[in-house]
Amino acid sequence: MSSDLTSENGGVIITKVNDLLNWSRLSSLWPLSFGIACCAIEFMGAFASTYDLDRYGVFPRPSARQADVIIIAGTVTFKMAERIKRLYEQMPEPKYVISMGSCSNCGGPYWQHGYHVVKGVDRVIPVDVYVQGCPPRPEALIGAILELQKKIEGERLLGGVRKSEKTESPEVKESV
C-alpha cells in the first residue's frame, strides 16, 4: 500500500482509495469451507494451529454468500461440477478461485480412465491461482494465498476496469 505518514505521533495517512480497498480486501480473505476429496485434508490442516492461516486474515466461512474465495480441493466430477458452479455464482463480487491439487487442476490420475471426471475445474469456473501437488502440502496453500493477495493488491476497483480481469472459459456449459 502506498501511503505517506505525515507525522510519527498521531499523524495523518494519505493514500489512494483503491489502495485502501485492496489492502482491506487482501487482509481479510474469507474462503468457503468446502472440500471434495483428499486435498481437503490438507486444506483443513492449513487452518490448524501448526500453520494458522488466521494470521493472514484468512477465516473460513460456511456460506457462499459470505465468502470471497472458493478453494477447490479435490477431484471434480461432472456431477459435482454443476454444484461448484452454483456455489461460485452465489458468491458476491469480487470473488476468487484457488484450484488445489492435481485432480482439480487437470483431472489428476482419474480423468484418463474415468468418464466421470472433469479435466480441470477451470472448465467450469475461472481460476485465479493453481496449487500443484498430489496432495499439496499446507505450505503450498499458504503460498497460493500469498499469491492471491499479490493479485488483489494490483487490482483497481474504482475509476476504471480492474487490472486483472478474469474471462470465463468458452467450454463452460449450463448442462455440465
Side-chain angles (χ1 to χ4, degrees), residues 93-130:
E93 287 287 341
K95 52 190 168 187
Y96 306 96
V97 177
I98 296 176
S99 177
M100 182 177 173
S102 296
C103 291
S104 62
N105 290 347
C106 63
Y110 305 109
W111 75 269
Q112 289 177 328
H113 305 293
Y115 62 90
H116 63 291
V117 177
V118 177
K119 189 181 177 189
V121 73
D122 56 354
R123 296 179 183 238
V124 181
I125 56 176
V127 175
D128 294 296
V129 180
Y130 293 90

Side-chain angles (χ1 to χ4, degrees), residues 34-44 72-76 103 110 135:
F34 168 77
I36 304 172
C38 48
C39 288
I41 302 299
E42 301 296 330
F43 171 62
M44 290 181 261
I72 306 299
T75 310
V76 179
C103 291
Y110 305 109

Side-chain angles (χ1 to χ4, degrees), residues 9-30:
N9 299 331
V12 177
I13 296 176
I14 301 172
T15 188
K16 297 176 189 169
V17 175
N18 274 322
D19 290 341
L20 181 65
L21 287 173
N22 287 343
W23 173 79
S24 64
R25 287 185 318 125
L26 69 88
S27 299
S28 63
L29 292 174
W30 289 3

Side-chain angles (χ1 to χ4, degrees), residues 65-76:
R65 291 180 178 90
Q66 299 171 346
D68 55 0
V69 178
I70 185 168
I71 301 172
I72 306 299
T75 310
V76 179

Side-chain angles (χ1 to χ4, degrees), residues 53-65:
L53 270 174
D54 288 345
R55 64 188 161 145
Y56 295 110
V58 180
F59 183 72
R61 303 302 302 162
S63 169
R65 291 180 178 90

